[in-house]
Amino acid sequence: MSEITSQTVLLAFLMFCRIGGCLMLMPGFASTRVPVQVRLLIAVAATLALVPLLLPGLNAALPALPAPTVLALLVTETMVGALIGLMGRLFFLALQFMASAAAMFIGFNGAPGIPIEDNEPTNAFTALITLTATLLFFLTNQHWEVLRALIASYSALPISEALNAEFTLAKLGDALATAFVLALQISSPFIIYALMINFMIGLANKFTPQIPVYFISVPFVLAGGFFILYLTIGEALGFFMLGFMGWLARG
């Protein structure tokens, strides 16, 4: 059993900065429905669980820590953790954005409902998709993959190296592009449906201008959108989780 020194405590606190910064923004963990005290205890527990695994490598990388270096590392490690958490959150924000767009495409963009997973109230269509995706995040054990990604981050972004701004922007850009392409693929049935149904309604309105075709068609358009949701929601959310899992595996 190794002796606990001031160096050990300091390195453990640096680990807490990276892990806490990640969990501060990672979907599921960073939900407003999770009390701040619970989030803090989760970050502390995850840090203490990973200390025995990562401490030897950190001791070898940082044999001595002068005060100015410690202050710089506190900021850098928090930024690295926040970068990882933000990239994960981009996937769920992209899904939420495209779910809101899909709700608008099928005419379900009425008054927002009660906020469930986030602070801002959203319509029931968007809340259903985002809440289910967050639930699948835990049911598919992706919260454990987040810890694996944090462990791997000490190889990709060593604690002894400064955070490169160009590398950070490149990673954020890649994550943003992957997230929105994935969300666009999921919402593509609603986009195609909206284009087809609005084209048909426009033609019908031209042929019979004396009849308010648009207002008559609203419930039928909404029913068709819900039928598409019924047919595709399982495959769509499964596809989303596969894409998110692939990003976590690739880092």
Side-chain angles (χ1 to χ4, degrees):
M1 185 174 182
S2 58
E3 181 183 359
I4 298 178
T5 62
S6 59
Q7 175 82 355
T8 304
V9 175
L10 185 55
L11 291 176
F13 186 72
L14 288 175
M15 288 176 55
F16 171 77
C17 290
R18 181 176 294 202
I19 295 171
C22 175
L23 299 185
M24 177 178 63
L25 295 174
M26 187 61 66
F29 294 105
S31 173
T32 56
R33 301 305 170 194
V34 181
V36 177
Q37 296 88 340
V38 175
R39 280 182 270 172
L40 178 62
L41 289 175
I42 291 174
V44 172
T47 303
L48 294 178
L50 297 180
V51 162
L53 184 63
L54 297 172
L55 190 60
L58 297 183
N59 269 323
L62 299 172
L65 291 175
T69 305
V70 171
L71 293 177
L73 284 175
L74 290 177
V75 177
T76 303
E77 288 300 292
T78 304
M79 291 177 61
V80 170
L83 171 65
I84 299 171
L86 178 60
M87 288 191 294
R89 192 161 191 82
L90 284 176
F91 281 81
F92 284 77
L93 289 176
L95 180 65
Q96 183 180 9
F97 174 79
M98 293 311 298
S100 299
M104 182 182 66
F105 294 151
I106 66 173
F108 196 65
N109 55 338
I114 300 174
I116 299 176
E117 202 272 333
D118 206 351
N119 285 325
E120 297 295 328
T122 56
N123 58 67
F125 185 96
T126 306
L128 172 66
I129 293 177
T130 54
L131 182 62
T132 307
T134 305
L135 181 62
L136 287 173
F137 173 78
F138 291 101
L139 290 179
T140 55
N141 293 324
Q142 294 310 297
H143 54 296
W144 296 114
E145 289 298 314
V146 170
L147 295 182
R148 185 205 59 79
L150 283 169
I151 295 172
S153 70
Y154 283 94
S155 299
L157 296 169
I159 193 172
S160 56
E161 296 183 8
L163 185 62
N164 191 311
E166 184 178 354
F167 175 81
T168 301
L169 291 176
K171 281 291 186 182
L172 280 176
D174 291 343
L176 189 63
T178 304
F180 271 93
V181 168
L182 183 63
L184 183 61
Q185 290 172 334
I186 292 172
S187 60
S188 57
F190 298 97
I191 298 175
I192 296 171
Y193 170 74
L195 290 174
M196 292 176 58
I197 199 70
N198 281 288
F199 179 72
M200 294 168 59
I201 292 171
L203 285 179
N205 195 39
K206 284 292 184 181
F207 292 147
T208 56
Q210 67 275 13
I211 301 176
V213 177
Y214 175 77
F215 296 101
I216 296 174
S217 64
V218 168
F220 300 99
V221 172
L222 188 59
F226 283 150
F227 184 67
I228 292 177
L229 177 66
Y230 170 75
L231 293 177
T232 62
I233 186 170
E235 292 293 331
L237 289 176
F239 185 70
F240 173 78
M241 291 311 302
L242 285 176
F244 185 71
M245 289 163 61
W247 170 77
L248 276 178
R250 293 190 307 269

